[in-house]
Amino acid sequence: MTFEELVSGELNRLYGGALFLAAGNEAAASDLVVETVTDARAGRFSAPVESSAATRWLEAALARTYARSTAEPHSRREPPASAGQRPGARWGANDPEAFRALGAADLNAAAARVRPAARAALWLVTLRRWNHADAADVLSIEVDALRELLAGREDLLSGLVGRVGPRARKAGHTPE
């Protein structure tokens, strides 16, 4: 398989990940994909041994490119208040119907509530289902630091509850 064939088969998935990482900013997502593919083509990332690993290899390349472009200390801090936080908003575990209306745009917008380093960790572990050790390796951090970043799930879920809340209430559902 050529590099071009490999990338073209994964481009939609790569762009979808970039949109999450860029919190829905299409221009930033496009730039991230272009930078990732350019770096991968230039050999910046080690190539997959077999074609079945292509998806994972490109996900790792995207996460590394994103992490490099948004390098920040890995200390935990609160998301900005201007992100439209709803105090006390929590995951409606008893109301799964409230989340049926969610789409990629809702998820990408909610990602803006999560600091950039945590976004990469959440994308790899929560959305792409990577194990902690592999995700930490890709992000060049310790597993304990990755676990701290994954605490950003609450911010992401809070953002989702806030975005879904009005639609869910119209349907007769209210998140807890």
Side-chain angles (χ1 to χ4, degrees), residues 16-148:
L19 271 173
F20 176 80
L21 294 171
N25 181 323
E26 293 176 4
S30 293
D31 289 347
L32 182 58
V33 169
V34 168
E35 185 178 351
T36 298
V37 171
T38 301
D39 286 352
R41 179 70 170 155
R44 184 174 189 126
F45 311 112
S46 57
V49 176
E50 52 192 64
S51 62
S52 64
T55 298
R56 200 164 162 90
W57 176 69
L58 283 170
E59 288 172 356
L62 180 66
R64 285 183 180 124
T65 301
Y66 176 77
R68 187 179 65 242
S69 70
T70 60
E72 70 175 28
H74 296 293
S75 61
R76 188 163 184 210
R77 63 174 194 208
E78 295 300 313
S82 63
Q85 278 184 291
R86 289 180 42 209
R90 291 286 179 251
W91 174 261
N94 296 325
D95 189 18
E97 295 295 317
F99 295 93
R100 283 192 181 195
L102 278 176
D106 293 315
L107 183 61
N108 295 338
R113 300 172 69 88
V114 179
R115 63 191 179 103
R119 255 184 251 155
L122 285 167
W123 180 67
L124 286 171
V125 174
T126 304
L127 300 176
R128 301 306 308 152
R129 306 242 185 245
W130 283 52
N131 68 48
H132 288 189
D134 290 346
D137 184 51
V138 163
L139 297 174
S140 300
I141 60 176
E142 297 293 325
V143 172
D144 288 341
L146 177 85
R147 287 189 180 113
E148 287 180 26

